[in-house]
Amino acid sequence: MRTYLDFEKPIADLEARLEETKKLAQTSNVDVSEAVAILEQSIDKLRHEIFQNLTRWQRVQLSRHPDRPYTLDYISLMCDQFIELHGDRTVRDDPAMVGGFCELGDQTVMIIGQQKGRNTKQRQYRNFGMPNPEGYRKALRLMKLAEKFNKPIITLIDTPGAYPGLEAEERGQGEAIARNLKEMFMLTVPVICIVIGEGASGGALGIAIGDKVFMLENTWYSVISPENCSTILWRSWNFKEQAAEAMKLTARDMKLNKLVDEIVEEPLGGAHNDHQEMANHLKDVILNALAELNAIDPQERINQRIEKFCDMGVVIE
């Protein structure tokens, strides 16, 4: 069963009528081809109208859509011969952070990303996509392994934030993320980072220092979620829509402020509408970026990476 968001209700109503019409054709000899064609055109037109005028909060909702492809979905659809690697060699394996070597096109890459769950059991196992310190240490271990074998690194970002529990802080959550930031600046191999869903706070930034940073069309990237921002400013979650507008957290906003390099278009209706089409397009974007980055001298890549992030923001003395 497909899940519809609140602003998609008009589309859901038309698609329900379309399904009923098709069932009528199966149970009787009535020719409904003309009615089906009209309904399909109406659905397509309505979908265009709705998705061309999305608010920032609606894009946040799309980034969290339960049918949206997650990291392991993209790996399955884009990559061949994926070998998942586990553990940080210090505490344990963190299921909220996955990664390993795979074949992407004609080259081997290290792909790392946060992973959410589809049902209650999976969400608990993946900790709702919120990594612990060992998740970030595992990610760094895999990045260093990729550097050792001179393989490019791809990171897929989709997290509501690093896990904020007491035990995570006891094991050094802040230090683990900070170390990743420092080490990723100095990686000698190409690094491409893509926000595929939620990009919240340091939990996202912990695997997001790269030569190229991309965002899918219906994603967000910010230091805080609209709900938490609303809670701080208005002492209530009821102003999350206003908070999202004020925060300017969408891919378009990030590109306008020169915080990301490129927006990756999604299929009409969102990435959840066609996983394969989305994966194919993302794969092309990654391969094109790798071809560009592979032609640059490693030290020059590092210099450009540092300069890229140092140029963000404004400092007034």
Side-chain angles (χ1 to χ4, degrees):
M1 293 292 293
R2 183 181 166 186
T3 303
Y4 291 92
L5 301 174
D6 53 1
F7 61 87
E8 293 181 296
K9 190 177 184 303
I11 298 173
D13 294 340
L14 282 179
E15 289 189 339
R17 286 174 56 190
L18 177 62
E19 195 62 31
E20 290 174 4
T21 305
K22 289 180 177 179
K23 285 181 179 177
L24 177 64
Q26 293 174 352
T27 57
S28 67
N29 293 324
V30 179
D31 183 11
V32 295
S33 57
E34 186 176 345
V36 167
I38 292 172
L39 280 171
E40 288 176 340
Q41 289 176 3
S42 299
I43 291 169
D44 191 52
K45 181 180 177 182
L46 183 60
R47 187 174 280 120
H48 271 94
E49 290 174 357
I50 290 174
F51 282 86
Q52 283 178 352
N53 299 284
L54 292 173
T55 65
R56 290 182 173 90
W57 172 245
Q58 287 169 341
R59 293 195 188 276
V60 171
Q61 289 179 285
L62 281 171
S63 75
R64 300 169 175 168
H65 198 289
D67 300 332
R68 195 173 179 85
Y70 297 146
T71 293
L72 288 176
D73 297 316
Y74 283 111
I75 290 173
S76 173
L77 294 169
M78 294 192 304
C79 304
D80 298 316
Q81 306 294 327
F82 175 61
I83 301 174
E84 186 174 357
L85 302 173
H86 298 271
D88 68 340
R89 294 185 177 174
T90 304
V91 179
R92 64 181 178 92
D93 184 48
D94 186 354
M97 187 79 76
V98 299
F101 284 116
C102 71
E103 290 181 8
L104 187 70
D106 60 352
Q107 57 189 308
T108 300
V109 302
M110 174 65 77
I111 190 161
I112 302 165
Q114 287 113 353
Q115 175 66 26
K116 295 178 178 178
R118 292 284 176 204
N119 53 45
T120 302
K121 188 174 182 180
Q122 288 180 5
R123 289 180 188 123
Q124 289 177 332
Y125 176 66
R126 301 288 181 184
N127 201 31
F128 300 87
M130 297 186 293
N132 278 277
E134 48 269 26
Y136 292 99
R137 292 181 178 123
K138 174 169 77 169
L140 181 58
R141 180 176 76 83
L142 299 187
M143 291 177 199
K144 290 293 187 180
L145 188 64
E147 185 177 46
K148 177 180 179 180
F149 293 107
N150 195 31
K151 302 300 180 185
I153 298 166
I154 314 297
T155 69
L156 303 179
I157 300 147
D158 186 12
T159 180
Y163 183 58
L166 176 62
E167 61 270 31
E169 296 299 335
E170 288 174 340
R171 295 196 299 274
Q173 184 74 285
E175 186 276 340
I177 293 172
R179 182 173 294 276
N180 278 24
L181 302 186
K182 173 181 176 291
E183 297 288 347
M184 288 187 76
F185 275 114
M186 305 310 295
L187 291 168
T188 58
V189 295
V191 184
I192 298 173
C193 308
I194 306 135
V195 181
I196 60 170
E198 299 184 270
S201 192
L205 198 59
I207 58 168
I209 304 298
D211 304 297
K212 297 285 186 181
V213 181
F214 301 142
M215 289 181 70
L216 268 58
E217 186 179 358
N218 297 310
T219 61
W220 65 276
Y221 196 15
S222 178
V223 71
I224 194 172
S225 70
E227 294 95 329
N228 288 331
C229 177
S230 173
T231 300
I232 292 171
L233 295 180
W234 290 283
R235 300 290 187 265
S236 168
W237 278 28
N238 296 332
F239 299 92
K240 53 188 178 292
E241 292 91 343
Q242 293 95 313
E245 289 298 318
M247 290 165 66
K248 294 181 171 56
L249 73 183
T250 65
R252 188 177 302 171
D253 297 318
M254 294 295 107
K255 180 71 164 61
L256 188 64
N257 289 320
K258 299 180 180 179
L259 299 175
V260 300
D261 298 289
E262 188 177 328
I263 300 171
V264 182
E265 289 187 4
E266 298 183 17
L268 182 63
H272 60 279
N273 259 0
D274 194 330
H275 288 201
Q276 188 64 65
E277 182 183 345
M278 185 69 252
N280 290 343
H281 181 44
L282 185 59
K283 181 178 179 179
D284 290 340
V285 169
I286 293 171
L287 291 175
N288 289 337
L290 283 178
E292 178 184 337
L293 293 172
N294 284 329
I296 303 174
D297 177 75
Q299 188 56 51
E300 180 60 25
R301 272 201 308 265
I302 292 172
N303 293 341
Q304 290 180 7
R305 195 183 303 153
I306 293 171
E307 184 178 351
K308 170 192 178 71
F309 282 87
C310 286
D311 283 346
M312 294 180 183
V314 177
V315 177
I316 300 176
E317 295 184 358

